[in-house]
Amino acid sequence: MNSPRLPCPQRRALLLALGGSVLLPGCGSLGWIGLGRDKDPRPPTELAKTPPQAVRVRTLWTTRIGKGQDGRTLSLRPAVAGNRVYAADHGGTVVALDAADGRLIWERDKWRLPFSGGPDVAGEQLAVGASNGEVLLLSTRDGSQRWRAQLGSEVLSVPRISGDLVVVHTIDDTVYGLDLGDGSERWRFGYQAPILTLRGSSTPAVGPDGIIVGVSNGRLVYLDTEHGAPIWEATISPPSGRTELERIADIDTDPVVVGDQVFVASFNGDLAAVDIDSGTVLWRRELSAHAGLAATADALYVTDSDDRLWAADPIDGAGRWRQDDLRYRRLTAPVVVGNALAVGDLEGYVHWVSARDGRLLGRERLGKAAVASTPVVAGQTLYVQLENGTIAAVRATDAGAGPEAAPAAAPAAESSSSDGVSSDRASSGGPASAGQG
């Protein structure tokens, strides 16, 4: 595997732990570790002056909460439940908004906590995590506090409400199971984080019998919800290379469960499918990703580490198309909206892409700040959070053909994997040889 080529967003996202955690600063000040002070050799791709017009895009409403992310890499994203949108900002504000028009229903900011992950909503409960390691459970009715728990490290993933638990993955690769009733710790499961990791954590996904979490040593873990014990562990991308930088194999993408499979991608590693019952890796494709992926029964869609969008076959990972026109624009993970995909970028644009062939269909700018996290879909509406605290609802109509008609490329040659299972590797550095969108 080639050594990682780190564009500006990924370099800024690195977390160095040498006798203590040190967050590497912006791209212009990384020369001291050999990443250079020169002009970024791969600047964001410029957008066409005339936007694609295959879909009609309109902003339904925008509002702004607090001060946003304060320049930090966080996991704050909207949560939609019923006719409400819930959101938090790094300054300690949590709000409930009317999903139809953005009207403020309630706002709470008494905690003054540096919120950094969430919220997640289930029933009448809302969970949000903070940079100081605290987790709050609030009432969705009025934002009142139900409990507050102190964990051992920063929360840079979305706390996941699952049954009678709140499951939290902290940046030091510890997974906590907190009692939904009172916030007491029921169990914890931890991994030793590598010396050098990306700044981020995989958000736990709910499986039929437990919780699935990606950790920073390239492994996917399925935990029993009763005791937090591993049901299975699967190596997605074993660390390789001579330096710690080359050996980064973090799984910061959120695992996606579809039927009896879970799909996941790692940085400087692979896109893979895992059997959820046995933990067997069904296939791998070489693809470095940290923003995330979306999956349906018919297709996988991935944002890779160079901000290219890929579509792949969920059966074997064979590539269908690749979209290069948004490279280095610090894209979010894609989301499926009807027959199209949507991604946000560093300049506040949301782009619509054909799920069938990767064509750009349209775009809408929601503000000058970057889109902070993966947009959230409810029906045909996208709810988007920008880094400056702007929350927006946006919708597109007439969105092209569906993913079910996408042609499949011929699979690449097989090679043996470290787990002794079938491993498909593509020489082009993606799911398979695929034409540009």
Side-chain angles (χ1 to χ4, degrees):
M1 182 179 294
N2 295 328
S3 58
R5 300 176 300 165
L6 299 180
C8 180
Q10 281 74 53
R11 285 183 282 158
R12 181 171 56 237
L14 288 175
L15 177 67
L16 182 63
L18 295 172
S21 296
V22 179
L23 176 61
L24 299 189
C27 301
S29 55
L30 293 178
W32 64 279
I33 61 167
L35 293 179
R37 296 176 180 270
D38 297 335
K39 183 179 179 181
D40 188 352
R42 296 180 294 175
T45 301
E46 292 187 10
L47 300 178
K49 292 183 179 179
T50 302
Q53 297 181 6
V55 297
R56 297 190 298 271
V57 185
R58 64 189 180 103
T59 301
L60 305 180
W61 54 261
T62 63
T63 189
R64 188 165 175 175
I65 63 168
K67 297 181 179 180
Q69 297 201 5
D70 196 25
R72 293 170 170 82
T73 301
L74 306 174
S75 290
L76 298 173
R77 65 186 71 170
V80 183
N83 60 355
R84 291 186 179 187
V85 179
Y86 302 91
D89 91 309
H90 191 63
T93 300
V94 182
V95 299
L97 306 172
D98 188 289
D101 56 15
R103 175 178 55 87
L104 180 66
I105 298 172
W106 55 254
E107 177 178 359
R108 299 289 178 267
D109 61 0
K110 65 179 181 180
W111 307 283
R112 304 295 180 187
L113 285 175
F115 291 129
S116 53
D120 189 33
V121 175
E124 296 185 353
Q125 294 157 121
L126 177 153
V128 61
S131 293
N132 67 351
E134 290 194 67
V135 176
L136 267 65
L137 190 77
L138 309 179
S139 166
T140 58
R141 291 182 178 180
D142 57 9
S144 59
Q145 178 179 311
R146 295 193 169 179
W147 52 255
R148 184 170 176 170
Q150 178 68 60
L151 306 184
S153 187
E154 184 175 12
V155 179
L156 273 182
S157 63
V158 178
R160 182 67 71 207
I161 301 174
S162 175
D164 62 351
L165 287 177
V166 178
V167 182
V168 188
H169 182 198
T170 56
I171 199 169
D172 63 351
D173 265 344
T174 301
V175 184
Y176 295 84
L178 307 179
D179 188 281
L180 183 64
D182 60 11
S184 60
E185 181 181 313
R186 297 236 302 252
W187 51 260
R188 74 170 71 179
F189 181 82
Y191 271 95
Q192 179 65 46
I195 293 175
L196 189 64
T197 72
L198 295 181
R199 177 176 167 79
S201 303
S202 167
T203 292
V206 179
D209 300 308
I211 297 293
I212 303 167
V213 185
V215 295
S216 54
N217 62 2
R219 299 180 73 82
L220 192 68
V221 186
Y222 195 17
L223 301 176
D224 164 61
T225 53
E226 185 66 26
H227 304 290
I231 299 172
W232 50 253
E233 300 181 20
T235 299
I236 304 302
S237 300
S240 63
R242 292 174 296 177
T243 69
E244 293 297 335
L245 187 62
E246 292 174 337
R247 291 174 61 80
I248 296 174
D250 289 22
I251 298 178
D252 279 358
T253 61
D254 301 343
V256 177
V257 177
V258 179
D260 58 359
Q261 295 183 36
V262 55
F263 300 99
V264 70
S266 65
F267 181 80
N268 197 31
D270 300 286
L271 170 69
V274 180
D275 180 83
I276 204 167
D277 292 325
S278 65
T280 301
V281 178
L282 302 175
W283 54 258
R284 291 186 180 88
R285 293 282 179 176
E286 185 176 10
L287 182 77
S288 177
H290 79 282
L293 67 153
T296 69
D298 302 307
L300 304 178
Y301 305 101
V302 189
T303 299
D304 75 10
S305 295
D306 287 331
D307 297 309
R308 299 176 296 184
L309 288 172
W310 295 83
D313 193 309
I315 296 176
D316 57 8
R320 292 178 174 174
W321 52 256
R322 189 183 77 200
Q323 169 55 257
D324 286 345
D325 292 344
L326 303 174
R327 293 183 77 182
Y328 314 131
R329 293 194 61 84
R330 213 175 97 195
L331 300 183
T332 66
V335 291
V336 179
V337 192
N339 295 320
L341 308 174
V343 292
D345 77 7
L346 81 171
E347 292 182 326
Y349 286 97
V350 177
H351 304 268
W352 269 259
V353 179
S354 168
R356 181 180 184 274
D357 57 20
R359 289 179 300 115
L360 295 177
L361 301 176
R363 68 177 187 243
E364 176 81 341
R365 194 172 196 182
L366 304 178
K368 294 184 178 180
V371 177
S373 56
T374 303
V376 174
V377 183
Q380 295 295 309
T381 302
L382 281 185
Y383 296 93
V384 184
Q385 186 162 353
L386 305 188
E387 286 186 350
N388 65 358
T390 295
I391 309 293
V394 62
R395 183 179 296 167
T397 57
D398 297 337
E404 66 278 2
E414 290 190 357
S415 64
S416 61
S417 77
S418 59
D419 286 356
V421 299
S422 174
S423 174
D424 292 322
R425 295 268 186 170
S427 60
S428 64
S433 256
Q436 179 177 338

